[in-house]
Amino acid sequence: MVLLQPDPFLNELTSMYERNTEKGSVWVTFKRSSMKSKATRNKMASAGEIVEYTCLVRATDGKKTISTSVSAKDQQRFQASYATVLKAHMSKLKKRERKERKKAAEGDKKTKE
Amino acid sequence: MVYITSWDEFVDRSVQLFRADPTSSRYVMKYRHCDGKLVLKVTDNRECLKYKTDQAQDAKKMEKLNNIFFVLMTKGPDADITEVTSKEQGEAQPAKRGRGRKQ
């Protein structure tokens, strides 16, 4: 499991999507984590210190796993870049099927005639 | 597997699930380009909610959900997510200076 900084993580994520275009899946998991063990967390809580949480993001293609930890400060920037990566790669999803079908049907009729 | 058909219901129930147990809840997204399918899962290891789709419009809705989860996870389960719209990105930057705990 490779723990990376947010920016290299996004680069690796991009390559992962590219590698898995013909076959394979990409899983991305978000989980809240304080990055500390339970014992440390309990000590901090009882001592009255605020336990800071981050968002742990993991990505895998079944073979390779990468991860990164996003804190509240990085969150806005990471969110925007992450959205860009997803939008760029999720191109195979269908767009407005019904309208496309109608257009395709009309198109087919025209070519046949 | 519990597949939910309504997007809004999926969002409401998953936010509820996360707020009930933020330490053990997780949000998983699986994308298969070869099949053109996207599956979302939110679970706290007891209950599981899933949503599957092959529609591009759902990818846009999922982005908003991603933002919601980012905010919930980094700022805490009590964070106000009603601001998580395109407005937040413009307003959050000047507001951040005032919010900082460390200051």
Side-chain angles (χ1 to χ4, degrees):
Chain A
M1 168 84 84
V2 188
L3 185 65
L4 305 165
Q5 290 298 306
D7 293 323
F9 173 83
L10 289 165
N11 292 335
E12 281 294 319
L13 183 65
T14 308
S15 357
M16 202 178 267
Y17 273 113
E18 286 165 7
R19 268 183 280 133
N20 287 281
T21 308
E22 293 301 303
K23 64 172 181 176
S25 329
V26 181
W27 283 270
V28 183
T29 309
F30 288 19
K31 188 166 185 203
R32 186 177 185 236
S33 167
S34 63
M35 303 299 272
K36 291 188 160 74
S37 67
K38 202 169 184 187
T40 323
R41 256 187 284 138
N42 287 340
K43 275 188 202 171
M44 283 177 84
S46 54
E49 288 174 44
I50 304 163
V51 187
E52 274 188 43
Y53 288 99
T54 65
C55 182
L56 180 64
V57 186
R58 271 177 294 215
T60 181
D61 60 356
K63 289 168 196 169
K64 189 176 167 183
T65 312
I66 49 174
S67 66
T68 188
S69 182
V70 184
S71 63
K73 286 183 216 166
D74 307 328
Q75 179 235 325
Q76 287 275 326
R77 208 165 63 98
F78 184 84
Q79 192 172 295
S81 319
Y82 177 65
T84 315
V85 173
L86 291 193
K87 258 188 257 189
H89 290 97
M90 294 194 171
S91 49
K92 195 76 186 290
L93 296 173
K94 294 176 198 165
K95 294 176 186 178
R96 294 187 187 174
E97 231 183 53
R98 284 179 201 170
K99 283 187 185 176
E100 262 202 356
R101 275 186 192 165
K102 277 186 187 174
K103 282 184 185 175
E106 283 171 5
D108 281 342
K109 281 182 191 172
K110 281 180 187 173
T111 51
K112 280 178 188 172
E113 282 169 26
Chain B
M1 275 281 114
V2 188
Y3 278 107
I4 298 179
T5 30
S6 151
W7 174 260
D8 293 323
E9 191 194 332
F10 176 72
V11 174
D12 285 334
R13 287 178 65 184
S14 44
V15 171
Q16 229 179 346
L17 193 68
F18 178 80
R19 283 193 162 136
D21 195 347
T23 7
S24 65
S25 301
R26 64 180 184 278
Y27 165 61
V28 186
M29 181 203 71
K30 173 170 120 172
Y31 177 66
R32 279 183 69 83
H33 191 95
C34 46
D35 300 334
K37 289 227 159 74
L38 176 69
V39 182
L40 307 174
K41 172 165 89 168
V42 181
T43 177
D44 62 353
N45 297 321
R46 282 180 286 269
E47 204 185 312
C48 180
L49 305 163
K50 283 180 117 172
Y51 184 85
K52 66 178 168 185
T53 183
D54 55 359
Q55 302 292 317
Q57 56 179 347
D58 286 330
K60 285 186 196 172
K61 290 184 196 168
M62 183 202 68
E63 268 170 52
K64 286 190 189 166
L65 184 62
N66 287 345
N67 295 348
I68 291 175
F69 274 116
F70 265 125
V71 172
L72 284 174
M73 290 179 184
T74 51
K75 294 182 183 160
D78 306 320
D80 186 8
I81 57 167
T82 53
E83 292 175 356
V84 184
T85 54
S86 51
K87 283 182 189 174
E88 197 205 27
Q89 285 176 3
E91 285 172 18
Q93 282 171 1
K96 252 187 187 179
R97 287 179 197 170
R99 272 190 205 164
R101 276 186 217 150
K102 291 178 185 179
Q103 293 172 358

